[in-house]
């Protein structure tokens, strides 16, 4: 079973995606911040990290930078309601597997 770490500062977004992914058979862990996500990543070694781009403190790009060093085989998918070409290009250049715009 694949492990997904879902990172979003909006509780409703986490709950919706957690429900959908869990019903599809994934083992899902959720975090409300990038800082919390780094701790959970060390504990659960996720196969995929699905993270919001804009969050207080550590944003999605900083999280991508952080986990790519410790978990080089983990795929990071950036999601955002504020998609721009420049943030999409930056995400992909830094190693994001994909860049999705909300609503998913």
């Amino acid at each position: 079973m694949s492990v997904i770490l879902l990172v979003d500062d909006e509780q409703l977004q986490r709950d919706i995606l957690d429900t959908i992914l869990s019903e599809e058979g994934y083992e899902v862990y959720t975090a409300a911040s990038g800082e919390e996500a780094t701790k959970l990543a060390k504990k659960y070694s996720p196969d995929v990290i699905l993270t919001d781009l804009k969050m207080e403190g550590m944003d999605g790009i900083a999280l991508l930078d952080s986990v790519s060093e410790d978990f080089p085989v983990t795929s990071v998918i950036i999601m955002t309601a504020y998609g721009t070409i420049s943030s999409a290009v930056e995400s992909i250049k830094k190693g994001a597997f994909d860049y999705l715009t909300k609503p998913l």
Side-chain angles (χ1 to χ4, degrees):
M1 173 185 324
S2 295
V3 175
I4 298 176
L5 176 55
L6 175 60
V7 189
D8 199 310
D9 56 353
E10 294 181 30
Q11 180 70 46
L12 183 58
Q13 285 290 325
R14 287 194 313 272
D15 291 346
I16 290 168
L17 290 171
D18 183 14
T19 299
I20 292 168
L21 294 168
S22 295
E23 287 178 357
E24 290 296 320
Y26 296 101
E27 183 178 339
V28 181
Y29 298 96
T30 64
S33 69
E35 294 84 2
E36 182 182 0
T38 57
K39 292 175 187 173
L40 289 175
K42 289 176 184 169
K43 184 174 182 179
Y44 296 109
S45 300
D47 300 297
V48 175
I49 296 176
L50 181 59
T51 182
D52 192 16
L53 176 64
K54 295 194 181 242
M55 297 180 289
E56 290 292 321
M58 180 185 283
D59 67 7
I61 298 293
L63 177 60
L64 171 61
D65 287 339
S66 174
V67 300
S68 62
E69 293 175 15
D70 295 331
F71 303 96
V73 297
T74 297
S75 297
V76 178
I77 299 171
I78 304 286
M79 56 183 178
T80 184
Y82 307 100
T84 64
I85 292 172
S86 62
S87 66
V89 169
E90 180 184 10
S91 297
I92 299 302
K93 280 185 175 180
K94 289 192 173 256
F97 179 79
D98 207 347
Y99 180 94
L100 306 172
T101 56
K102 294 178 185 179
L104 303 178

